[in-house]
Amino acid sequence: IVQSNFTVSIVVKMWSKRGKLDKAIETVYEALKQPQMILARVGKRVQSKNVDAHVGACLVGACIHNRAPEKAMEIFKDMKTWKDFNGPDANTYNAMICGLVKHGYTHEAADLAEEACMVLRASYDRQMLHSSAIRQLYRGLRNSNLLEEIGVPLRIKLIEAGVAFDERWLQQEVRHGSSSQGPL
């Protein structure tokens, strides 16, 4: 099997689902050590990266799936230093924000959302954070009584970055009523 970003991401997911996070991490770091692949496309030689943003998102997702948010934060920080790696993409930020909130790291998730506003705004393809990740972050902020302290100032940065923001996320209580959308 020829190593590619696709095959590396599949192997990471496989090890993650088997509960072998150490093997998933090892797979990515071994791929980083390999010489870059040269792919031939219609008579042109195109150099490929050893590891792309999708692989990075899979790896932090594997950490979150295996209940290792500290490891996810460590790898997220480390991936910004990987050679020939363009950095985390919107999917990686979304996975990190959701996973950190899920495991009670609300402050860290808010910090990443703020970082993503700056990083993704400057990216060439203008990727954005998903509203589902921001909604989950605001649920975590509400549950931690941090809406005023963190949520309100973060709202301004999100809107300035072009992230779709629903003002209902700032409400202190979730209203369960006749709304067809259900809880926020």
Side-chain angles (χ1 to χ4, degrees):
I1 296 176
V2 176
Q3 177 181 307
S4 69
N5 287 309
F6 180 76
T7 58
V8 171
S9 66
I10 294 296
V11 172
V12 167
K13 290 176 186 177
M14 177 196 70
W15 286 125
S16 173
K17 289 178 181 180
R18 292 180 178 184
K20 304 280 186 180
L21 182 58
D22 56 334
K23 294 282 193 182
I25 294 168
E26 180 183 322
T27 298
V28 173
Y29 282 89
E30 284 299 316
L32 285 167
K33 293 178 188 176
Q34 300 299 316
Q36 287 188 335
M37 299 169 285
I38 304 293
L39 302 176
R41 276 197 199 153
V42 191
K44 296 181 182 178
R45 290 171 59 90
V46 179
Q47 193 165 6
S48 173
K49 297 177 181 186
N50 288 3
V51 176
D52 66 2
H54 181 70
V55 173
C58 288
L59 185 56
V60 297
C63 293
I64 298 298
H65 176 77
N66 284 277
R67 297 176 185 86
E70 297 91 358
K71 193 66 172 172
M73 288 186 283
E74 178 187 323
I75 288 171
F76 186 84
K77 182 179 177 182
D78 189 42
M79 75 172 53
K80 295 174 188 176
T81 67
W82 291 348
K83 186 179 180 216
D84 297 320
F85 183 73
N86 291 336
D89 65 355
N91 290 328
T92 310
Y93 277 102
N94 287 315
M96 285 293 295
I97 290 166
C98 290
L100 291 176
V101 170
K102 177 181 176 183
H103 291 288
Y105 291 84
T106 309
H107 278 277
E108 293 82 352
D111 289 344
L112 278 182
E114 185 174 344
E115 176 184 317
C117 287
M118 293 182 295
V119 171
L120 298 176
R121 186 182 338 177
S123 69
Y124 70 93
D125 58 358
R126 299 274 306 165
Q127 294 182 346
M128 293 291 169
L129 293 174
H130 297 149
S131 62
S132 59
I134 301 304
R135 182 176 54 243
Q136 187 168 346
L137 171 60
Y138 273 81
R139 278 185 193 154
L141 291 170
R142 183 177 37 257
N143 293 339
S144 302
N145 294 317
L146 295 170
L147 277 178
E148 288 298 319
E149 179 185 339
I150 297 174
V152 172
L154 180 59
R155 172 193 166 269
I156 295 165
K157 293 174 182 173
L158 291 166
I159 291 171
E160 286 174 353
V163 176
F165 190 88
D166 187 334
E167 295 297 328
R168 294 179 296 172
W169 298 339
L170 286 174
Q171 294 175 357
Q172 288 293 332
E173 296 178 14
V174 176
R175 294 191 175 114
H176 301 281
S178 61
S179 173
S180 62
Q181 293 180 0
L184 299 176

